[in-house]
């Protein structure tokens, strides 16, 4: 198998990952939005689709804050530091 399974940054956009209208006003937990690809496109789609609150889990807070600032989402995004490969981080994030 060639090419691996990592999405290319230029392969996805908001139209590919449209936010369902059922999420308008919803609270969402999102991972993967700090790297280009489907996670970033999903973040953009959720914001455009009217998600009220997005809890963005990320290993690197500065990258998550930069992603949030890119869309000017203000208090609609809350960044939570969490490495999902570590059970202690997952448990801590679930309490926040």
């Amino acid at each position: 198998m060639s090419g691996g399974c990592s999405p290319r940054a230029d392969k996805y956009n908001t139209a590919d990952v449209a936010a369902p209208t059922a999420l308008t006003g919803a609270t969402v937990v999102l991972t993967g939005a700090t790297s280009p690809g489907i996670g970033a496109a999903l973040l953009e789609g959720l914001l455009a689709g009217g998600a009220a609150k997005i809890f963005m889990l990320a290993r690197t807070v500065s990258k998550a804050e930069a992603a949030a600032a890119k869309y000017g989402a203000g208090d609609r995004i809350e960044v939570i530091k969490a490495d999902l490969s570590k059970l202690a981080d997952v448990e801590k994030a679930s309490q926040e």
Side-chain angles (χ1 to χ4, degrees):
M1 178 185 277
S2 65
C5 60
S6 296
R8 291 180 23 217
D10 61 346
K11 187 174 179 180
Y12 300 100
N13 61 45
T14 305
D16 295 325
V17 190
T21 56
L23 291 178
T24 299
T27 299
V28 180
V29 175
L30 179 63
T31 64
T34 60
S35 58
I38 198 164
L42 184 55
L43 173 60
E44 186 176 347
L46 288 168
L47 290 168
K53 185 71 171 185
I54 300 171
F55 291 96
M56 188 186 316
L57 278 57
R59 287 186 301 248
T60 308
V61 171
S62 60
K63 285 184 178 181
E65 289 172 342
K70 177 179 177 181
Y71 299 104
D75 63 353
R76 291 176 60 198
I77 295 177
E78 183 174 331
V79 174
I80 299 173
K81 180 174 176 48
D83 181 341
L84 298 181
S85 70
K86 297 179 181 176
L87 183 57
D89 278 12
V90 174
E91 290 172 342
K92 183 179 176 187
S94 72
Q95 299 301 315
E96 292 188 30

